[in-house]
Amino acid sequence: MTRINGFIGRRNFLHLAGMGSLGIGAIVGAGGMLWKDEPAVAQHASNTDVGQRPQPVNPQVALNNLLTGNQRFVQGKRLNPHQSKLRLQETVVAQYPFAAILGCADSRVPAEIVFDQGLGDLFVVRVAGNVASQEAIGSLEYATSVLGAQLILVLGHAKCGAVQAAVEGKPLPGRIGIFVEEIKPAVEIARHKTSNLAESAIITNVRYQAQRLAESSTILRNLVREDKLKIVGGRYDLATGKVTMLS
């Protein structure tokens, strides 16, 4: 079985994916083959030579990188890192994102901008309401078990239209209602917590979707248990640009 920096290769991953999560999870549990010998890696340092092996980025360092970048964004001091022609060529060779993000598809919350990151830094999955759909879970399994990201941030935001639709509970056209249904369990939990249902539902939904990631995926659950992955939640404020951690 070919491996990429200690992880299974893309072709083998896609072959195993056809077996379903249980098939892949069985390999993870059998001696931790996905993570044996080498830690996850990420392209953390800039000005590296093309093809040079990047340094490992553990979950706490990855989170610190995100929050520091967000602070620069809020203060109007963005560095716009990893956006050079050299970086473009580096990412042709391979990608080593130091973190994965499950965010809302809202056009006002572009992860690379609000965290002041660049090409190849983040593996971003975006879907309305930052819902942990089966497709999103599969993408995040790939980001962690193949590409080596050790942090997943579930990022919700203020005034989320998808969450508001779930709160209102009105019939929706087309397939819009599909992802809204995935948010309703979080809304029901939020109803018992506070009178400000709209805001509480946004926060509760982030935590609910983060929990779904860990519980619905054998791969992610095993990595968390082995301290090789951390799943956290955050809320983005549209007015200030600040991300506040929720867990």
Side-chain angles (χ1 to χ4, degrees):
M1 179 175 289
T2 58
R3 297 167 66 177
I4 301 175
N5 296 303
F7 307 99
I8 61 174
R10 289 175 175 81
R11 292 182 180 178
N12 285 307
F13 177 85
L14 295 176
H15 170 70
L16 291 171
M19 299 165 56
S21 296
L22 291 178
I24 303 173
I27 293 180
V28 176
M33 287 179 63
L34 295 183
W35 291 86
K36 188 176 180 181
D37 298 329
E38 296 178 288
V41 291
Q43 186 73 22
H44 173 50
S46 58
N47 300 321
T48 57
D49 295 330
V50 175
Q52 181 178 331
R53 183 184 179 85
Q55 295 298 312
V57 176
N58 66 46
Q60 190 56 53
V61 172
L63 181 58
N64 290 342
N65 288 345
L66 290 178
L67 295 179
T68 300
N70 179 245
Q71 185 176 35
R72 294 195 300 267
F73 173 71
V74 172
Q75 296 175 348
K77 299 178 179 180
R78 285 196 298 151
L79 299 178
N80 300 312
H82 295 169
Q83 297 177 29
S84 66
K85 188 67 174 290
L86 173 60
R87 179 61 169 180
L88 184 67
Q89 295 305 312
E90 288 177 345
T91 55
V92 170
V93 178
Q95 62 169 320
Y96 304 100
F98 71 81
I101 294 179
L102 173 57
C104 182
D106 193 295
S107 63
R108 299 167 291 181
V109 197
E112 285 86 355
I113 294 178
V114 303
F115 288 112
D116 193 24
Q117 302 300 324
L119 295 168
D121 289 333
L122 304 178
F123 189 96
V124 183
V125 179
R126 297 179 68 178
V127 60
N130 40 276
V131 168
S133 65
Q134 292 302 303
E135 293 80 5
I137 292 173
S139 296
L140 293 170
E141 288 178 340
Y142 181 80
T144 53
S145 66
V146 177
L147 302 182
Q150 295 190 4
L151 176 75
I152 295 176
L153 168 62
V154 179
L155 185 64
H157 66 93
K159 301 183 183 301
C160 180
V163 174
Q164 184 58 39
V167 169
E168 294 175 357
K170 298 178 181 179
L172 297 167
R175 300 185 180 182
I176 299 176
I178 294 176
F179 61 79
V180 172
E181 288 298 320
E182 301 294 334
I183 302 174
K184 287 184 177 180
V187 172
E188 292 309 309
I189 296 173
R191 290 186 192 279
H192 304 289
K193 291 187 175 183
T194 177
S195 58
N196 189 348
L197 180 58
E199 176 61 23
S200 179
I202 291 170
I203 295 174
T204 303
N205 183 54
V206 168
R207 291 172 173 158
Y208 175 75
Q209 303 302 336
Q211 183 178 0
R212 285 189 65 191
L213 287 179
E215 294 180 351
S216 301
S217 168
T218 303
I219 290 179
L220 300 182
R221 182 168 62 249
N222 285 345
L223 294 179
V224 170
R225 288 176 177 174
E226 296 169 11
D227 294 324
K228 295 170 181 174
L229 174 66
K230 187 173 184 179
I231 302 175
V232 298
R235 175 191 178 277
Y236 176 77
D237 188 278
L238 295 177
T240 66
K242 182 178 180 179
V243 173
T244 301
M245 299 307 300
L246 302 178
S247 58

